[in-house]
Amino acid sequence: MFYLLGLGILCIAFLFIIGLYNLDFKYLFMISAPAEKITAAVIIIGILNCIISILFFFGVGYLREAVKAFMEKKIFQLKTVLYFKRSGIYLSSCATLGFISRSLAIIYLRVDNNGSGFGLGYSSLLIFMLICGLCFILISHVLKESVALKEENDLTI
């Protein structure tokens, strides 16, 4: 999944570079915020959707590193705490920006609620991502306390 997300980010970067070369970003905005004509709202929604993709990529990347640390039995280290915290921050930010982007799309682009608006599937995905991000932040705090207790225990021996 991490590598597929990376490929998606490269495709977005490729479309952005083509847009810079032609000074025409309509293809990038048609992918990220479909609309008949490009307005300021479409540009803002398109930029937000690109940022969301990048934040999700980094969130999954840090989660991948945290899982590697768990697999190598390096649970009680500050690196693992940092990986969980950063993953949580990126995923929570991604979900928050997703809500903002979708709200702007509903308000300014008059996106319907049937399939592409705040449908049950999309809202559930964003809420799940927000909950996962907050849980990862909570896990990082618990692991940070565990690391401090372990170091204190090692010093008393």
Side-chain angles (χ1 to χ4, degrees):
M1 182 173 143
F2 178 73
Y3 295 115
L4 289 176
L5 286 172
L7 184 63
I9 298 295
L10 287 176
C11 290
I12 289 172
F14 181 70
L15 286 174
F16 189 75
I17 290 171
I18 288 174
L20 280 177
Y21 180 72
N22 294 337
L23 294 177
D24 184 19
F25 295 100
K26 69 179 179 183
Y27 299 112
L28 183 63
F29 294 126
M30 286 176 70
I31 290 172
S32 61
E36 285 86 29
K37 64 182 201 173
I38 296 178
T39 61
V42 173
I43 291 171
I44 291 170
I45 292 168
I47 290 171
L48 275 176
N49 287 340
C50 292
I51 292 171
I52 289 168
S53 300
I54 293 169
L55 288 176
F56 188 69
F57 175 73
F58 283 121
V60 170
Y62 280 115
L63 183 61
R64 181 175 174 250
E65 293 299 320
V67 169
K68 277 186 192 177
F70 264 80
M71 297 293 283
E72 295 171 356
K73 308 241 190 273
K74 297 178 182 176
I75 300 170
F76 299 110
Q77 292 185 354
L78 288 178
K79 259 187 179 178
T80 309
V81 173
L82 184 67
Y83 292 149
F84 270 114
K85 185 175 182 180
R86 285 185 180 171
S87 178
I89 289 171
Y90 282 126
L91 290 178
S92 300
S93 301
C94 179
T96 306
L97 287 177
F99 280 121
I100 292 170
S101 171
R102 190 48 58 183
S103 299
L104 289 175
I106 288 173
I107 292 169
Y108 291 111
L109 302 180
R110 312 248 191 281
V111 173
D112 60 345
N113 284 337
N114 295 335
S116 55
F118 270 123
L120 183 63
Y122 190 74
S123 295
S124 299
L125 177 67
L126 289 177
I127 290 170
F128 177 73
M129 193 181 318
L130 181 65
I131 290 171
C132 284
L134 294 175
C135 285
F136 290 150
I137 292 172
L138 180 68
I139 288 170
S140 75
H141 287 296
V142 170
L143 282 176
K144 186 176 181 180
E145 291 294 321
S146 302
V147 168
L149 288 174
K150 183 179 181 292
E151 287 178 359
E152 182 181 319
N153 189 24
D154 289 343
L155 289 176
T156 57
I157 293 176

